[in-house]
Amino acid sequence: MDANLVALAIAGVVTVNVQRKLKRRGTRRFWVHSILRKRKQRGEYHGLVRELRLDGVLFEQYFRMSPDTFDELLGRVGPLITRADSMMRKAIGPAQRLAICLRYLATGDSFRTIAFSYRVGHSTVAGIVQDVASAIWEALVEDTMPVPKKEDWRAIADQFYARWNFPNCLGAIDGKHVLLQAPANSGSLFFNYKSSYSLVLLAVVDANYLFRVVDVGGYGRTSDGGTLRNSAFGESLRDGTLDLPPDAAIPGAEHRGPLPCVFVGDEAFPLTTNLLRPYPGHHIPPERRAFNYRLSRARLVVECAFGILSARWRMYRRVIATSPKVAEACVLATCVLHNFLRKKMLEGRRCTPTAAPANEAPSAPEGLRDAPRMGSNNASRRAIQLRDTYCAYFSQEGAVPWQPSA
């Protein structure tokens, strides 16, 4: 066959395929729909949001922050989310873009629902949520969640000892599942032990319920221990590059010698020289039961932090119907917003908030589920001796009056 005829035949096939795709999509009826053109007259941002500014309580219920805090956040994030007008249309302003993103984080509503409320396209909402969430993380992470230095770790340890009676404790660590709609072509990577799809949020929390280290994006099928092992924080913990304080003696128990600073976690984590977990089993001696109680009491702060996070940002109580990349950006944004708002509250009170009762652990919301408890049993002899030393201390010099009845 002639080469020219072959080329024409191929071109004809391509043209037919393109025409079929265009026919399936349908022709675009509007450049901008008439309903969307009335955004400034009847859109939620230009109507309801402006009315809510007259009532701070209702405004905070809507955006999960006060009007002054919203304006302060806009001042930080605004330069990163401002878009220039084009020859064809005017760009959505930074304040409205921030409002759309915060409304999604605060409710977890679908992009299409928010699009109808604000009279913008649903694909526009999807792009705004991803861009603004990433900008919030970029603008706030250095101030609200900086990498802890040796002095920061030492201050955290002092707070844990003063508030939770656990010496040399640098933070409580835990992992939670953030529910996702099944990602396309992901197989069983995000399929967790609860028969749902999720990504894992791994966090280290200090005594004031502030996130100090977060790692987001672990597959739902991975356990807490596996997520820690694969994270940058876990690698730094193993390599000894976290700039932790040196070993120190416990006040009142100097005869036990200097002990290393530790993180506290549940049975899902391995037992190491810098990470303590409870003694396994149910029928254990009283001194080990006391150690488990004291460790659980200190570890409760991370559970409370997750409870506060999900109570404020209700997207955690729903299945996030977006891609894992966008979900990860939203989770990171809520973590720095949690610290941003909590630090303002602590500064306003000028005192440390009251600790939650040890016997009233907050119930985990549906969107944040405990990761499987699959900790390693291959602990070193040094780690076992360290846990036994803490166990002896909590039963003798470090015992508290209410400990026997716990």
Side-chain angles (χ1 to χ4, degrees):
M1 182 181 294
D2 190 355
N4 293 331
L5 294 177
V6 174
L8 291 174
I10 295 176
V13 172
V14 172
T15 303
V16 171
N17 291 336
V18 171
Q19 290 177 350
R20 289 176 178 174
K21 290 182 180 179
L22 292 176
K23 187 175 181 180
R24 286 199 300 268
R25 291 181 182 177
T27 57
R28 185 169 182 172
R29 295 185 300 164
F30 307 100
W31 174 246
V32 177
H33 200 284
S34 58
I35 293 179
L36 303 185
R37 292 176 184 173
K38 300 177 182 178
R39 180 191 310 150
K40 293 186 177 181
Q41 291 77 28
R42 300 182 181 179
E44 194 162 310
Y45 175 77
H46 296 278
L48 177 62
V49 173
R50 293 187 176 181
E51 293 180 8
L52 291 177
R53 281 189 171 271
L54 303 176
D55 191 317
V57 175
L58 295 180
F59 188 96
E60 188 166 357
Q61 292 176 356
Y62 186 87
F63 282 124
R64 302 297 189 266
M65 61 182 65
S66 65
D68 294 338
T69 305
F70 180 91
D71 295 336
E72 181 182 350
L73 179 63
L74 178 61
R76 296 193 181 193
V77 182
L80 300 177
I81 61 177
T82 302
R83 299 294 182 265
D85 297 337
S86 66
M87 297 179 60
M88 305 301 296
R89 67 180 73 179
K90 291 186 177 181
I92 298 176
Q96 187 171 358
R97 293 170 67 87
L98 179 60
I100 290 173
C101 181
L102 291 180
R103 189 58 181 164
Y104 172 74
L105 300 179
T107 63
D109 288 341
S110 66
F111 292 158
R112 195 172 294 275
T113 299
I114 296 177
F116 281 128
S117 300
Y118 282 80
R119 298 207 178 208
V120 295
H122 72 276
S123 60
T124 303
V125 173
I128 288 175
V129 169
Q130 181 176 2
D131 294 342
V132 177
S134 301
I136 290 174
W137 168 263
E138 182 180 350
L140 299 182
V141 64
E142 293 296 333
D143 293 336
T144 63
M145 200 186 301
V147 178
K149 304 298 183 182
K150 186 175 298 184
E151 294 76 13
D152 301 323
W153 290 124
R154 188 177 290 110
I156 294 173
D158 294 340
Q159 293 173 359
F160 261 99
Y161 184 61
R163 297 192 58 200
W164 301 101
N165 308 111
F166 204 106
N168 290 5
C169 181
L170 303 179
I173 183 171
D174 199 8
K176 288 296 181 181
H177 286 282
V178 181
L179 298 184
L180 291 175
Q181 184 176 344
N185 304 320
S186 62
S188 61
L189 289 177
F190 293 94
F191 192 74
N192 60 37
Y193 74 113
K194 288 286 190 179
S195 300
S196 58
Y197 292 85
S198 63
L199 57 82
V200 179
L201 164 62
L202 184 73
V204 177
V205 178
D206 67 10
N208 290 319
Y209 311 111
L210 294 174
F211 293 106
R212 289 309 184 105
V213 180
V214 294
D215 183 87
V216 185
Y219 295 126
R221 64 179 297 179
T222 310
S223 66
D224 272 4
T227 303
L228 175 64
R229 183 174 58 253
N230 298 330
S231 66
F233 172 78
E235 183 177 354
S236 300
L237 185 62
R238 292 192 304 269
D239 298 341
T241 58
L242 281 179
D243 195 21
L244 301 181
D247 298 356
I250 301 176
E254 290 78 4
H255 63 281
R256 299 190 183 277
L259 298 178
C261 295
V262 296
F263 298 92
V264 293
D266 57 18
E267 297 89 342
F269 295 97
L271 176 64
T272 66
T273 54
N274 293 114
L275 180 57
L276 291 182
R277 55 172 283 176
Y279 285 100
H282 298 284
H283 304 286
I284 55 178
E287 59 273 10
R288 292 192 173 186
R289 189 179 301 111
F291 171 85
N292 286 356
Y293 162 70
R294 296 290 292 274
L295 185 141
S296 298
R297 185 171 182 268
R299 195 187 60 81
L300 186 65
V301 295
V302 67
E303 300 289 352
C304 292
F306 283 134
I308 296 170
L309 181 72
S310 61
R312 184 182 296 274
W313 307 110
R314 300 299 179 90
M315 75 167 196
Y316 288 104
R317 300 192 174 185
R318 298 193 178 190
V319 177
I320 301 178
T322 184
S323 66
K325 181 180 179 181
V326 178
E328 182 177 343
C330 292
V331 171
L332 291 174
T334 56
C335 289
V336 292
L337 285 172
H338 169 89
N339 284 8
F340 176 69
L341 297 174
R342 186 149 189 86
K343 283 185 175 182
K344 294 183 71 66
M345 184 197 70
L346 295 176
E347 293 172 358
R349 291 183 177 180
R350 296 183 181 275
C351 64
T352 305
T354 305
N359 58 348
E360 295 183 4
S363 58
E366 185 68 17
L368 290 175
R369 294 175 174 172
D370 290 330
R373 303 181 181 275
M374 298 171 57
S376 171
N377 293 323
N378 300 322
S380 65
R381 182 175 301 179
R382 168 61 176 160
I384 295 175
Q385 292 175 351
L386 175 65
R387 183 169 63 177
D388 291 340
T389 302
Y390 273 96
C391 178
Y393 166 76
F394 287 138
S395 297
Q396 299 176 22
E397 303 92 355
V400 292
W402 63 87
Q403 183 173 294
S405 59

